[in-house]
Structures are given as structure tokens and as C-alpha cells.
Amino acid sequence: MQLKRLEMYGFKSFADKTILDFKSGITTVIGPNGSGKSNISDCVRWVLGEQSIKELRGAKTEDIIFAGTQNRKSLGFAEASLVFDNSDGKLQIEYSEVTITRRIYRSGESGYFINKSPCRLKDVLELFMDTGIGKDGYSIIGQR
């Protein structure tokens, strides 16, 4: 199982649809201060089920939705997806590619999806059980 892609739209500083492809081997994210590196880590944790906005370096739920700038208005929702290659069958689901998506609206409405089918947070957590992947896993290094 390998993380293939992260897709973000409206998550924190990523107002436009942003796709990060992860190839085999070592992948690093580098850039100047304030360019969104930590937001990428926050996004992965969020999709995997992080419930604490404080852990995502925010004060309230709306802080993870793009808030706008002088030249651009705010967005009404944020959405992010993690796409995994499951051709080895490590995830107990009958798909060779698995997409986990989380979406939240300013109204507070939110949802999780596995391969575009609505599901519960519990379903996402159970899918990754015993894989070493999760919001608290050693595979995610973030700021404290």
C-alpha cells in the first residue's frame, strides 16, 4: 500500500484545487516559511480523522476552510482526498485504488467518503486499523 496522491480544495491556504503526486521512494516537501508545508501535514491528519481543531493549528472549525484574501473571497467549504494504491490488498477493501475524502462546509455540515461513497469516521478508522496509518501514526510528522 502506498500513498499516491493528496488532493486539496479550499483547505487552509490551498484555495485552488491542488494535487500532490507521491512517487515511490522518498518524498519531501520543501519551501519557504509560510508556503503551506505544515498545512499539507495538517490536511493528511484531517482526512484521516483528526477531530481536534487545535491539533490542526486552528481555533475554530472554520479555520480549516480558506478564509479569503484582499484579492479573493472566502470559500464555503473545504475538501481533501488521500488516494492509496491498494494493489497489494493491505486495506481490507476490494479496490486496487482507495480514495478517502473528507469535506466540511461553513455551516458545520461535514462528511467522509470512501471511493465517493458516504461513510462514517468509524469506517475510515477501521479501514486503516493495523496498517500503521492514522492521524496519530508515526508516518505523519507535524508541528507541536
Side-chain angles (χ1 to χ4, degrees):
M1 175 181 50
Q2 176 186 332
L3 176 61
K4 290 175 61 173
R5 195 167 54 250
L6 170 63
E7 301 174 0
M8 301 173 281
Y9 176 76
F11 185 86
K12 290 190 170 186
S13 59
F14 295 95
D16 296 320
K17 184 168 186 175
T18 304
I19 299 173
L20 302 175
D21 288 311
F22 300 104
K23 307 292 182 200
S24 308
I26 298 173
T27 298
T28 60
V29 178
I30 59 172
N33 291 342
S35 63
K37 301 179 303 293
S38 296
N39 289 347
I40 291 169
S41 176
D42 289 348
C43 187
V44 171
R45 290 177 61 106
W46 182 68
V47 173
L48 292 174
E50 181 60 66
Q51 298 296 300
S52 170
I53 298 302
K54 193 179 282 186
E55 288 292 321
L56 299 172
R57 300 174 307 119
K60 55 190 185 302
T61 304
E62 299 84 45
D63 291 344
I64 62 172
I65 302 172
F66 179 72
T69 65
Q70 283 183 324
N71 302 324
R72 191 161 190 175
K73 62 184 216 174
S74 64
L75 296 177
F77 74 99
E79 179 178 283
S81 298
L82 293 171
V83 181
F84 292 90
D85 178 347
N86 189 42
S87 55
D88 61 4
K90 294 236 177 177
L91 294 175
Q92 300 298 307
I93 191 169
E94 294 184 26
Y95 293 96
S96 59
E97 186 173 275
V98 178
T99 303
I100 307 302
T101 302
R102 186 171 180 185
R103 183 182 305 144
I104 189 164
Y105 293 90
R106 286 202 184 275
S107 66
E109 181 184 349
S110 66
Y112 290 90
F113 304 84
I114 297 176
N115 287 356
K116 298 186 180 181
S117 294
C119 66
R120 305 166 298 172
L121 170 58
K122 181 178 180 178
D123 299 321
V124 173
L125 297 177
E126 286 177 356
L127 182 64
F128 288 103
M129 198 173 293
D130 298 326
T131 65
I133 295 174
K135 66 181 183 67
D136 295 321
Y138 292 116
S139 53
I140 301 173
I141 301 171
Q143 292 181 341
R144 292 278 180 221

